[in-house]
Short mmCIF file of all heavy atoms in Angstrom, two decimals:
data_model
loop_
_atom_site.label_atom_id
_atom_site.label_comp_id
_atom_site.label_asym_id
_atom_site.label_seq_id
_atom_site.Cartn_x
_atom_site.Cartn_y
_atom_site.Cartn_z
N MET A 147 78.96 110.07 136.96
CA MET A 147 78.35 108.82 136.61
C MET A 147 79.38 107.74 136.35
O MET A 147 79.06 106.58 136.26
CB MET A 147 77.46 108.97 135.41
CG MET A 147 76.23 109.81 135.68
SD MET A 147 74.88 109.55 134.52
CE MET A 147 75.23 110.76 133.30
N ALA A 148 80.62 108.09 136.27
CA ALA A 148 81.67 107.14 135.96
C ALA A 148 81.84 106.12 137.05
O ALA A 148 82.23 105.01 136.82
CB ALA A 148 83.00 107.86 135.71
N GLY A 149 81.53 106.51 138.30
CA GLY A 149 81.68 105.59 139.44
C GLY A 149 80.48 104.65 139.61
O GLY A 149 80.45 103.88 140.55
N ARG A 150 79.48 104.73 138.77
CA ARG A 150 78.26 103.93 138.86
C ARG A 150 77.60 104.01 140.23
O ARG A 150 77.49 103.03 140.94
CB ARG A 150 78.56 102.48 138.49
CG ARG A 150 79.00 102.35 137.06
CD ARG A 150 79.12 100.92 136.66
NE ARG A 150 79.50 100.89 135.29
CZ ARG A 150 79.11 99.99 134.41
NH1 ARG A 150 78.38 99.02 134.82
NH2 ARG A 150 79.49 100.04 133.18
N PRO A 151 77.17 105.23 140.57
CA PRO A 151 76.53 105.39 141.89
C PRO A 151 75.22 104.65 141.98
O PRO A 151 74.55 104.41 141.02
CB PRO A 151 76.30 106.91 141.98
CG PRO A 151 76.22 107.34 140.55
CD PRO A 151 77.13 106.44 139.78
N ARG A 152 74.83 104.31 143.21
CA ARG A 152 73.59 103.60 143.45
C ARG A 152 72.45 104.61 143.57
O ARG A 152 71.29 104.31 143.45
CB ARG A 152 73.65 102.76 144.75
CG ARG A 152 74.72 101.68 144.72
CD ARG A 152 74.41 100.54 143.83
NE ARG A 152 73.20 99.86 144.32
CZ ARG A 152 72.34 99.17 143.59
NH1 ARG A 152 72.58 99.02 142.30
NH2 ARG A 152 71.32 98.60 144.11
N LEU A 153 72.85 105.87 143.83
CA LEU A 153 71.82 106.94 144.01
C LEU A 153 72.36 108.22 143.36
O LEU A 153 73.50 108.62 143.68
CB LEU A 153 71.56 107.17 145.49
CG LEU A 153 70.63 108.32 145.89
CD1 LEU A 153 69.22 108.09 145.35
CD2 LEU A 153 70.59 108.50 147.41
N PHE A 154 71.56 108.84 142.52
CA PHE A 154 71.86 110.14 141.98
C PHE A 154 71.05 111.18 142.74
O PHE A 154 69.79 111.08 142.81
CB PHE A 154 71.43 110.22 140.53
CG PHE A 154 72.23 109.39 139.59
CD1 PHE A 154 71.78 108.17 139.21
CD2 PHE A 154 73.47 109.84 139.09
CE1 PHE A 154 72.50 107.37 138.30
CE2 PHE A 154 74.19 109.09 138.19
CZ PHE A 154 73.71 107.82 137.82
N LEU A 155 71.67 112.14 143.39
CA LEU A 155 71.01 113.24 144.05
C LEU A 155 71.30 114.48 143.25
O LEU A 155 72.43 114.97 143.21
CB LEU A 155 71.52 113.41 145.48
CG LEU A 155 71.29 112.29 146.47
CD1 LEU A 155 71.99 112.53 147.76
CD2 LEU A 155 69.79 112.14 146.69
N LEU A 156 70.27 115.05 142.62
CA LEU A 156 70.46 116.16 141.73
C LEU A 156 69.60 117.35 142.10
O LEU A 156 68.38 117.19 142.27
CB LEU A 156 70.08 115.71 140.28
CG LEU A 156 70.85 114.48 139.78
CD1 LEU A 156 70.18 113.93 138.53
CD2 LEU A 156 72.29 114.82 139.52
N ASP A 157 70.22 118.49 142.21
CA ASP A 157 69.53 119.72 142.56
C ASP A 157 69.52 120.64 141.38
O ASP A 157 70.54 121.13 140.93
CB ASP A 157 70.23 120.38 143.76
CG ASP A 157 69.50 121.63 144.22
OD1 ASP A 157 68.29 121.78 143.98
OD2 ASP A 157 70.15 122.48 144.86
N GLU A 158 68.38 120.81 140.79
CA GLU A 158 68.18 121.71 139.61
C GLU A 158 69.10 121.33 138.44
O GLU A 158 69.75 122.19 137.88
CB GLU A 158 68.35 123.15 139.99
CG GLU A 158 67.34 123.72 140.98
CD GLU A 158 65.98 123.93 140.34
OE1 GLU A 158 65.81 123.90 139.13
OE2 GLU A 158 65.01 124.08 141.12
N PRO A 159 69.15 120.07 138.04
CA PRO A 159 70.07 119.67 137.01
C PRO A 159 69.68 120.16 135.60
O PRO A 159 70.50 120.20 134.74
CB PRO A 159 70.03 118.16 137.03
CG PRO A 159 68.65 117.85 137.49
CD PRO A 159 68.39 118.92 138.52
N LEU A 160 68.47 120.63 135.48
CA LEU A 160 67.98 121.07 134.15
C LEU A 160 67.95 122.60 134.05
O LEU A 160 67.56 123.15 132.99
CB LEU A 160 66.59 120.51 133.88
CG LEU A 160 66.48 118.99 134.06
CD1 LEU A 160 65.03 118.55 133.83
CD2 LEU A 160 67.46 118.27 133.17
N SER A 161 68.39 123.29 135.08
CA SER A 161 68.40 124.74 135.11
C SER A 161 69.20 125.31 133.96
O SER A 161 70.37 124.92 133.73
CB SER A 161 68.96 125.21 136.44
OG SER A 161 68.99 126.63 136.48
N GLY A 162 68.62 126.19 133.21
CA GLY A 162 69.37 126.82 132.12
C GLY A 162 69.35 126.06 130.80
O GLY A 162 69.89 126.53 129.81
N LEU A 163 68.71 124.89 130.81
CA LEU A 163 68.66 124.11 129.55
C LEU A 163 67.36 124.34 128.82
O LEU A 163 66.34 124.52 129.44
CB LEU A 163 68.76 122.60 129.87
CG LEU A 163 70.06 122.12 130.52
CD1 LEU A 163 69.95 120.63 130.75
CD2 LEU A 163 71.25 122.44 129.70
N ASP A 164 67.43 124.36 127.49
CA ASP A 164 66.19 124.48 126.74
C ASP A 164 65.47 123.12 126.85
O ASP A 164 66.04 122.11 127.25
CB ASP A 164 66.44 124.90 125.31
CG ASP A 164 67.27 123.91 124.52
OD1 ASP A 164 66.96 122.70 124.51
OD2 ASP A 164 68.23 124.33 123.89
N PRO A 165 64.19 123.05 126.51
CA PRO A 165 63.41 121.81 126.67
C PRO A 165 64.02 120.62 125.95
O PRO A 165 63.98 119.50 126.50
CB PRO A 165 62.03 122.14 126.09
CG PRO A 165 61.91 123.63 126.29
CD PRO A 165 63.28 124.19 126.07
N GLN A 166 64.56 120.80 124.78
CA GLN A 166 65.17 119.67 124.05
C GLN A 166 66.40 119.14 124.77
O GLN A 166 66.57 117.92 124.92
CB GLN A 166 65.52 120.07 122.63
CG GLN A 166 64.32 120.26 121.75
CD GLN A 166 64.72 120.77 120.38
OE1 GLN A 166 65.54 121.70 120.29
NE2 GLN A 166 64.12 120.19 119.33
N ARG A 167 67.24 120.01 125.23
CA ARG A 167 68.48 119.57 125.94
C ARG A 167 68.10 118.99 127.31
O ARG A 167 68.75 118.01 127.76
CB ARG A 167 69.46 120.71 126.12
CG ARG A 167 69.93 121.27 124.78
CD ARG A 167 71.42 121.48 124.80
NE ARG A 167 71.85 122.15 123.60
CZ ARG A 167 72.35 121.52 122.56
NH1 ARG A 167 72.46 120.24 122.56
NH2 ARG A 167 72.73 122.20 121.49
N ALA A 168 67.10 119.53 127.94
CA ALA A 168 66.65 118.99 129.22
C ALA A 168 66.11 117.57 129.04
O ALA A 168 66.40 116.65 129.80
CB ALA A 168 65.58 119.86 129.87
N ALA A 169 65.33 117.35 127.97
CA ALA A 169 64.80 116.02 127.68
C ALA A 169 65.94 115.06 127.40
O ALA A 169 65.90 113.91 127.83
CB ALA A 169 63.82 116.06 126.50
N HIS A 170 66.93 115.51 126.65
CA HIS A 170 68.09 114.65 126.36
C HIS A 170 68.85 114.30 127.67
O HIS A 170 69.23 113.15 127.85
CB HIS A 170 69.03 115.33 125.39
CG HIS A 170 70.25 114.52 125.10
ND1 HIS A 170 70.22 113.42 124.29
CD2 HIS A 170 71.52 114.71 125.47
CE1 HIS A 170 71.43 112.91 124.24
NE2 HIS A 170 72.24 113.66 124.92
N ALA A 171 69.05 115.27 128.52
CA ALA A 171 69.72 115.05 129.84
C ALA A 171 68.97 114.00 130.63
O ALA A 171 69.55 113.13 131.20
CB ALA A 171 69.89 116.34 130.56
N LEU A 172 67.62 114.11 130.65
CA LEU A 172 66.83 113.14 131.40
C LEU A 172 66.94 111.77 130.78
O LEU A 172 66.96 110.74 131.49
CB LEU A 172 65.40 113.59 131.45
CG LEU A 172 65.09 114.80 132.35
CD1 LEU A 172 63.61 115.24 132.17
CD2 LEU A 172 65.40 114.48 133.77
N ALA A 173 66.99 111.67 129.46
CA ALA A 173 67.11 110.39 128.80
C ALA A 173 68.48 109.72 129.11
O ALA A 173 68.53 108.49 129.40
CB ALA A 173 67.00 110.55 127.28
N VAL A 174 69.52 110.49 129.12
CA VAL A 174 70.84 109.96 129.50
C VAL A 174 70.87 109.51 130.95
O VAL A 174 71.36 108.41 131.25
CB VAL A 174 71.94 111.03 129.23
CG1 VAL A 174 73.25 110.61 129.83
CG2 VAL A 174 72.08 111.31 127.75
N LEU A 175 70.28 110.28 131.79
CA LEU A 175 70.21 109.95 133.22
C LEU A 175 69.41 108.66 133.45
O LEU A 175 69.77 107.75 134.21
CB LEU A 175 69.64 111.10 134.02
CG LEU A 175 69.54 110.92 135.54
CD1 LEU A 175 70.91 110.69 136.16
CD2 LEU A 175 68.88 112.13 136.13
N ALA A 176 68.26 108.57 132.79
CA ALA A 176 67.43 107.40 132.93
C ALA A 176 68.10 106.15 132.41
O ALA A 176 68.02 105.09 133.02
CB ALA A 176 66.09 107.61 132.18
N ALA A 177 68.81 106.25 131.29
CA ALA A 177 69.52 105.12 130.75
C ALA A 177 70.61 104.63 131.71
O ALA A 177 70.76 103.45 131.94
CB ALA A 177 70.10 105.43 129.40
N ALA A 178 71.35 105.58 132.26
CA ALA A 178 72.43 105.21 133.26
C ALA A 178 71.81 104.58 134.49
O ALA A 178 72.36 103.61 135.01
CB ALA A 178 73.22 106.49 133.61
N ALA A 179 70.71 105.12 134.98
CA ALA A 179 70.09 104.58 136.17
C ALA A 179 69.55 103.15 135.91
O ALA A 179 69.75 102.25 136.73
CB ALA A 179 68.96 105.49 136.61
N ARG A 180 68.92 102.93 134.77
CA ARG A 180 68.45 101.59 134.40
C ARG A 180 69.62 100.61 134.27
O ARG A 180 69.56 99.49 134.76
CB ARG A 180 67.66 101.64 133.09
CG ARG A 180 66.22 101.97 133.26
CD ARG A 180 65.44 101.67 131.95
NE ARG A 180 66.01 102.34 130.78
CZ ARG A 180 65.72 103.61 130.42
NH1 ARG A 180 64.86 104.32 131.14
NH2 ARG A 180 66.23 104.12 129.37
N ARG A 181 70.64 101.05 133.58
CA ARG A 181 71.77 100.18 133.32
C ARG A 181 72.45 99.71 134.63
O ARG A 181 72.82 98.57 134.77
CB ARG A 181 72.81 100.91 132.47
CG ARG A 181 74.05 100.09 132.17
CD ARG A 181 75.15 100.93 131.55
NE ARG A 181 75.67 101.89 132.53
CZ ARG A 181 75.88 103.17 132.31
NH1 ARG A 181 75.65 103.68 131.16
NH2 ARG A 181 76.33 103.94 133.24
N ASP A 182 72.56 100.65 135.57
CA ASP A 182 73.30 100.33 136.84
C ASP A 182 72.36 100.00 138.00
O ASP A 182 72.82 99.74 139.12
CB ASP A 182 74.16 101.55 137.24
CG ASP A 182 75.22 101.87 136.18
OD1 ASP A 182 75.60 100.94 135.42
OD2 ASP A 182 75.62 103.05 136.06
N GLY A 183 71.04 100.05 137.78
CA GLY A 183 70.08 99.76 138.85
C GLY A 183 70.10 100.85 139.92
O GLY A 183 69.91 100.59 141.10
N SER A 184 70.35 102.07 139.49
CA SER A 184 70.40 103.21 140.43
C SER A 184 69.07 103.89 140.60
O SER A 184 68.18 103.75 139.77
CB SER A 184 71.41 104.25 139.88
OG SER A 184 72.66 103.70 139.71
N ALA A 185 68.95 104.65 141.66
CA ALA A 185 67.77 105.47 141.93
C ALA A 185 68.13 106.94 141.65
O ALA A 185 69.28 107.30 141.74
CB ALA A 185 67.31 105.34 143.34
N VAL A 186 67.16 107.72 141.30
CA VAL A 186 67.38 109.11 141.00
C VAL A 186 66.42 109.95 141.91
O VAL A 186 65.24 109.73 141.93
CB VAL A 186 67.07 109.45 139.53
CG1 VAL A 186 67.24 110.93 139.24
CG2 VAL A 186 67.92 108.61 138.60
N LEU A 187 67.02 110.90 142.63
CA LEU A 187 66.25 111.93 143.33
C LEU A 187 66.59 113.27 142.75
O LEU A 187 67.75 113.70 142.79
CB LEU A 187 66.59 111.90 144.84
CG LEU A 187 65.86 112.92 145.68
CD1 LEU A 187 64.38 112.71 145.66
CD2 LEU A 187 66.38 112.90 147.10
N LEU A 188 65.62 113.90 142.13
CA LEU A 188 65.84 115.13 141.39
C LEU A 188 64.98 116.20 142.01
O LEU A 188 63.76 116.06 142.14
CB LEU A 188 65.43 114.90 139.92
CG LEU A 188 65.72 115.98 138.89
CD1 LEU A 188 66.00 115.31 137.56
CD2 LEU A 188 64.55 116.89 138.80
N ALA A 189 65.58 117.34 142.38
CA ALA A 189 64.86 118.47 142.93
C ALA A 189 64.77 119.56 141.88
O ALA A 189 65.75 119.84 141.21
CB ALA A 189 65.56 119.03 144.17
N SER A 190 63.59 120.15 141.73
CA SER A 190 63.40 121.18 140.73
C SER A 190 62.31 122.14 141.19
O SER A 190 61.37 121.77 141.87
CB SER A 190 62.98 120.53 139.41
OG SER A 190 62.72 121.50 138.41
N HIS A 191 62.47 123.40 140.76
CA HIS A 191 61.44 124.40 141.09
C HIS A 191 60.29 124.33 140.06
O HIS A 191 59.22 124.85 140.29
CB HIS A 191 62.02 125.81 141.07
CG HIS A 191 62.79 126.09 142.31
ND1 HIS A 191 64.11 125.90 142.41
CD2 HIS A 191 62.40 126.57 143.53
CE1 HIS A 191 64.51 126.27 143.62
NE2 HIS A 191 63.47 126.70 144.32
N GLY A 192 60.55 123.67 138.96
CA GLY A 192 59.55 123.59 137.89
C GLY A 192 59.19 122.15 137.59
O GLY A 192 59.71 121.22 138.22
N SER A 193 58.32 121.97 136.62
CA SER A 193 57.93 120.62 136.18
C SER A 193 58.99 120.10 135.19
O SER A 193 59.70 120.90 134.56
CB SER A 193 56.56 120.61 135.59
OG SER A 193 56.50 121.50 134.47
N LEU A 194 59.03 118.82 135.06
CA LEU A 194 59.99 118.20 134.12
C LEU A 194 59.44 118.34 132.67
O LEU A 194 58.23 118.27 132.46
CB LEU A 194 60.18 116.72 134.46
CG LEU A 194 60.78 116.41 135.78
CD1 LEU A 194 60.91 114.90 136.00
CD2 LEU A 194 62.17 117.06 135.94
N PRO A 195 60.33 118.45 131.70
CA PRO A 195 59.86 118.66 130.31
C PRO A 195 59.37 117.39 129.68
O PRO A 195 58.82 117.39 128.60
CB PRO A 195 61.17 119.15 129.62
CG PRO A 195 62.26 118.57 130.41
CD PRO A 195 61.76 118.54 131.82
N VAL A 196 59.53 116.25 130.36
CA VAL A 196 59.11 114.96 129.82
C VAL A 196 58.04 114.38 130.79
O VAL A 196 58.37 114.01 131.90
CB VAL A 196 60.29 113.96 129.71
CG1 VAL A 196 59.82 112.65 129.20
CG2 VAL A 196 61.36 114.56 128.84
N SER A 197 56.81 114.33 130.38
CA SER A 197 55.77 113.83 131.24
C SER A 197 55.94 112.32 131.43
O SER A 197 56.32 111.61 130.46
CB SER A 197 54.38 114.15 130.69
OG SER A 197 54.18 113.48 129.46
N GLY A 198 55.68 111.85 132.62
CA GLY A 198 55.79 110.43 132.91
C GLY A 198 57.21 109.94 133.12
O GLY A 198 57.44 108.77 133.23
N TRP A 199 58.19 110.89 133.17
CA TRP A 199 59.54 110.46 133.34
C TRP A 199 59.78 109.85 134.73
O TRP A 199 60.47 108.86 134.89
CB TRP A 199 60.49 111.64 133.14
CG TRP A 199 61.95 111.29 133.20
CD1 TRP A 199 62.70 110.78 132.17
CD2 TRP A 199 62.81 111.29 134.32
NE1 TRP A 199 63.98 110.52 132.59
CE2 TRP A 199 64.05 110.81 133.94
CE3 TRP A 199 62.66 111.69 135.68
CZ2 TRP A 199 65.15 110.72 134.79
CZ3 TRP A 199 63.74 111.60 136.52
CH2 TRP A 199 64.99 111.14 136.10
N ALA A 200 59.21 110.44 135.75
CA ALA A 200 59.43 109.99 137.15
C ALA A 200 58.38 108.94 137.53
O ALA A 200 57.27 108.98 137.13
CB ALA A 200 59.31 111.21 138.07
N ASP A 201 58.87 107.98 138.33
CA ASP A 201 57.92 106.99 138.91
C ASP A 201 57.06 107.63 139.99
O ASP A 201 55.89 107.21 140.11
CB ASP A 201 58.74 105.83 139.57
CG ASP A 201 59.47 105.03 138.53
OD1 ASP A 201 58.99 104.87 137.41
OD2 ASP A 201 60.54 104.47 138.95
N ARG A 202 57.58 108.62 140.66
CA ARG A 202 56.85 109.27 141.71
C ARG A 202 57.27 110.76 141.80
O ARG A 202 58.43 111.07 141.64
CB ARG A 202 57.20 108.58 143.05
CG ARG A 202 56.32 108.96 144.20
CD ARG A 202 56.64 108.22 145.45
NE ARG A 202 57.16 106.88 145.18
CZ ARG A 202 57.71 106.12 146.11
NH1 ARG A 202 57.80 106.52 147.33
NH2 ARG A 202 58.17 104.91 145.81
N SER A 203 56.33 111.61 142.01
CA SER A 203 56.62 113.03 142.16
C SER A 203 56.01 113.56 143.46
O SER A 203 54.90 113.19 143.85
CB SER A 203 55.97 113.81 141.01
OG SER A 203 56.54 113.50 139.78
N LEU A 204 56.79 114.40 144.13
CA LEU A 204 56.34 114.99 145.39
C LEU A 204 56.49 116.50 145.26
O LEU A 204 57.34 117.00 144.57
CB LEU A 204 57.25 114.50 146.53
CG LEU A 204 57.26 113.00 146.80
CD1 LEU A 204 58.31 112.67 147.84
CD2 LEU A 204 55.90 112.51 147.20
N ARG A 205 55.61 117.22 145.94
CA ARG A 205 55.64 118.66 145.94
C ARG A 205 55.81 119.12 147.40
O ARG A 205 55.14 118.62 148.31
CB ARG A 205 54.32 119.22 145.38
CG ARG A 205 54.26 120.72 145.31
CD ARG A 205 52.91 121.22 144.78
NE ARG A 205 51.89 121.09 145.81
CZ ARG A 205 50.83 120.29 145.77
NH1 ARG A 205 50.66 119.49 144.72
NH2 ARG A 205 49.94 120.24 146.74
N LEU A 206 56.71 120.02 147.61
CA LEU A 206 56.92 120.59 148.92
C LEU A 206 56.14 121.88 149.03
O LEU A 206 56.31 122.79 148.24
CB LEU A 206 58.43 120.87 149.17
CG LEU A 206 58.80 121.42 150.51
CD1 LEU A 206 58.47 120.45 151.64
CD2 LEU A 206 60.28 121.78 150.54
N GLU A 207 55.21 121.93 149.97
CA GLU A 207 54.38 123.09 150.16
C GLU A 207 54.21 123.36 151.68
O GLU A 207 53.77 122.47 152.43
CB GLU A 207 53.00 122.85 149.52
CG GLU A 207 52.10 124.04 149.54
CD GLU A 207 50.76 123.77 148.86
OE1 GLU A 207 50.81 123.11 147.77
OE2 GLU A 207 49.73 124.13 149.35
N ASN A 208 54.61 124.55 152.10
CA ASN A 208 54.51 124.94 153.50
C ASN A 208 55.23 123.95 154.40
O ASN A 208 54.72 123.61 155.48
CB ASN A 208 53.06 125.14 153.94
CG ASN A 208 52.39 126.26 153.19
OD1 ASN A 208 52.99 127.28 152.94
ND2 ASN A 208 51.14 126.07 152.82
N GLY A 209 56.37 123.46 153.96
CA GLY A 209 57.12 122.56 154.77
C GLY A 209 56.65 121.13 154.83
O GLY A 209 57.18 120.33 155.59
N ARG A 210 55.67 120.79 154.01
CA ARG A 210 55.11 119.43 154.01
C ARG A 210 55.21 118.87 152.57
O ARG A 210 54.97 119.58 151.60
CB ARG A 210 53.69 119.44 154.46
CG ARG A 210 53.52 119.95 155.88
CD ARG A 210 52.08 119.86 156.33
NE ARG A 210 51.81 118.46 156.48
CZ ARG A 210 51.50 117.85 157.63
NH1 ARG A 210 51.47 118.58 158.74
NH2 ARG A 210 51.24 116.57 157.69
N LEU A 211 55.49 117.55 152.50
CA LEU A 211 55.52 116.86 151.20
C LEU A 211 54.13 116.34 150.85
O LEU A 211 53.45 115.76 151.73
CB LEU A 211 56.52 115.68 151.24
CG LEU A 211 58.00 116.07 151.20
CD1 LEU A 211 58.84 114.80 151.37
CD2 LEU A 211 58.34 116.72 149.92
N HIS A 212 53.78 116.54 149.60
CA HIS A 212 52.49 116.03 149.06
C HIS A 212 52.76 115.24 147.79
O HIS A 212 53.54 115.68 146.94
CB HIS A 212 51.56 117.21 148.74
CG HIS A 212 51.31 118.14 149.89
ND1 HIS A 212 50.31 117.92 150.81
CD2 HIS A 212 51.94 119.28 150.28
CE1 HIS A 212 50.33 118.89 151.71
NE2 HIS A 212 51.31 119.67 151.39
N ALA A 213 52.09 114.11 147.69
CA ALA A 213 52.21 113.33 146.47
C ALA A 213 51.51 114.04 145.33
O ALA A 213 50.43 114.69 145.52
CB ALA A 213 51.61 111.94 146.68
N VAL A 214 52.10 113.98 144.15
CA VAL A 214 51.49 114.58 142.98
C VAL A 214 50.83 113.44 142.20
O VAL A 214 51.49 112.47 141.86
CB VAL A 214 52.51 115.32 142.10
CG1 VAL A 214 51.93 115.85 140.85
CG2 VAL A 214 53.18 116.42 142.91
N ALA A 215 49.56 113.58 141.88
CA ALA A 215 48.84 112.53 141.14
C ALA A 215 49.19 112.52 139.71
O ALA A 215 49.64 113.44 139.09
CB ALA A 215 47.35 112.70 141.31
#
């Protein structure tokens, strides 16, 4: 994050974290993205521990992307 990227591409960044630490990591990431005007693309096998964190959520099922309501 030191280079102030315009896009964060993260694969399973919350893996192995307890819910409190995962929520903290998401808060730090969101603050950095807001500060720098960056976008975040986060891939995860599970749901995020903070509801409403993402502007948009997609689910990959049978090779097709589906919007999550």
Side-chain angles (χ1 to χ4, degrees):
M147 290 201 270
R150 297 187 177 214
R152 301 288 296 153
L153 175 64
F154 292 96
L155 295 174
L156 305 166
D157 183 22
E158 295 288 346
L160 308 177
S161 178
L163 297 179
D164 63 49
Q166 289 176 315
R167 297 225 188 264
H170 178 72
L172 288 174
V174 169
L175 181 61
R180 273 193 305 274
R181 180 191 68 225
D182 299 334
S184 302
V186 178
L187 177 63
L188 187 148
S190 177
H191 283 92
S193 59
L194 296 179
V196 179
S197 64
W199 185 85
D201 292 329
R202 192 176 329 170
S203 294
L204 302 172
R205 182 182 75 246
L206 181 63
E207 185 177 318
N208 296 322
R210 299 184 69 115
L211 284 175
H212 303 274
V214 177

